[in-house]
Amino acid sequence: MLLTISADISGADMGYLLHKNPTRLHSFELPFGKAHVFYPELGATHSEAALLLDVDPVGLVRRRSHGAESGLHQYVNDRPYAASSFLSVAMSQVFGTAMGGRSKERQELADRPLQFDALITALPCRGGAGLLNQLFEPLGYEVEAKHYPLDECFPEWGAGPYHTVRIKNRLRLQDLLTHIYVLVPVLDSEKHYWVGDDEVEKLLRKGEGWLATHPERETIIARYLRFDRKLTRSALARLTEEETADPEAEQIGYAKEESSIEGPLKLWEQRIGAILSGLRASGAKTVLDLGCGEGKLLKALLEDRSFQRIVGLDVSWRMLEIAARRLHLEHVPPAQKARIELIHGSLMYKDNRLNGFDAATVAEVIEHLDPARLAAFERVLFEHARPRTVLITTPNGEYNSLFPSLPAGRFRHKDHRFEWTRSEFQLWANRNADRFGYKVRFLPIGIQDPVAGPPTQMGVFER
Ligand code: SAH
């Protein structure tokens, strides 16, 4: 069976990403046969790598290391040519570093989503070709599959389970490899090797960041664990446990508390008003809302046709789901829908999806970031995404003593890492403006107190 991966990067870059020197053939002995890595194409701007797996069915029987099949089936089966869990095992042995997201020489490239095109032959899709689409499409893949007849000499026998599958997506190599690693055995779904408790671990680890929210997660888990009821139940329980144990639910509670403190001032409305007028004044047509939360600002942006492209990013899936509901994304007309996109991501990591926007808004977000991690955020925003205009709002800590319901010394939101005074915020903002070539000015939001200043402060950065 053959897996090829191609992208618009040089052969040298592909070699660094996969940790395999592109100028030679690499062969590996595995418990069930041999794996070979080679590069069918090594261009300056486009390259392709291949993993060829040569399963030795006789060796398998002799070693009896992978399931004790008996009778003829142990000699006559599709294991030597079908993409199966053997491919996953080979991938983890041969591309382990790349699957872990590491590249000694090209870390920046490993961290970046690239347009990949992967071809898998021959992939058995037991459960129908529809399953192929249901598994890959929610992860953003474009899927093409060529279906083969069971036997070309006997068309009346109909189609067999095998497909040549091409999947295309813009993502990190690490994600491409992990998706294939998990989903190929799910599609194959052969009871072939023994599945132990550590398979649950492996699945949860490899599924991190995508499995919990995949609409077919139950099918994926059950088939990956070969329908072992006990393991499937435990994997599902752990997946949902990890989901509910995450701090997001708490965050929503804290956010409610914060709005009850700030509520009487209708601060969020004033914030949105100030941000909208800042954006309109800048002439921005494309806007990023970083840490968009429940999408209140996105909704206001969508109502103004001068904003042609609006992207909301948040680290919390739950918040993005709330935002999608608030924006009625399922029901809005296509022209409207084309203007808006919600993306899952973290402000701690460089992300090419954030490039090329006229403006970015970061409303009530920086105070949620650990001071030690603020430096990463500064570079992600001002150095890499680099929009012409950046609007940042954050509470003015000096104002806190004026909130009747806020005990002295407490922050407005339990997750806030700091609530800066005006001079602290201005010091931070001026330092970043100087460092990254922006000019910054400051505007108050909300009714100002003569001593404590406004409840919220905004920095308007322009370059
Ligand atoms: N901008 C919204 C929400 C503010 S609450 C508003 O004004 O109402 C802060 C938001 O930042 C939360 O939704 C939280 O999930 C998000 N957030 C926190 N850390 C983040 C990170 N590292 N990357 C992206 N979003 C983050």
Side-chain angles (χ1 to χ4, degrees), residues 1-5 51 53 55 78-79 81-92 99 118-128 131-132 135-136 139 141 161-167 175-193 203 206 210 214 219-221 223-226:
M1 87 206 57
L2 182 68
L3 164 69
T4 66
I5 294 173
L51 168 64
L53 199 54
V55 171
D78 67 0
R79 299 297 88 183
Y81 60 83
S84 70
S85 49
F86 289 136
L87 175 64
S88 303
V89 175
M91 285 173 75
S92 68
M99 274 176 92
L119 190 78
I120 311 167
T121 58
L123 182 58
C125 301
R126 292 178 230 275
L131 185 60
L132 187 65
L135 295 184
F136 281 102
L139 299 168
Y141 289 87
Y162 305 104
H163 294 71
T164 293
V165 174
R166 183 184 289 280
I167 50 173
D175 300 322
L176 174 73
L177 295 175
T178 18
H179 295 157
I180 296 175
Y181 174 97
V182 172
L183 297 180
V184 163
V186 166
L187 283 158
D188 173 41
S189 199
E190 268 282 280
K191 276 197 215 123
H192 204 81
Y193 69 98
L203 174 61
K206 293 280 192 298
W210 62 273
H214 195 296
T219 309
I220 295 172
I221 292 172
R223 291 172 70 111
Y224 185 94
L225 298 171
R226 304 298 183 269

Side-chain angles (χ1 to χ4, degrees), residues 291-293 313-316 319 345-348 363-365 368-369:
C292 62
L313 169 136
D314 207 285
V315 75
S316 154
M319 287 294 185
S346 166
L347 290 169
M348 296 296 117
E364 309 301 285
V365 174
H368 291 265
L369 307 179

Side-chain angles (χ1 to χ4, degrees), residues 282-285 357-360 385-390 438 461-463:
S282 79
K285 301 262 177 292
F357 285 81
D358 297 336
R386 239 184 134 56
R388 239 183 24 239
T389 304
V390 176
Y438 283 79
F461 298 73
E462 259 151 340
R463 68 169 171 86

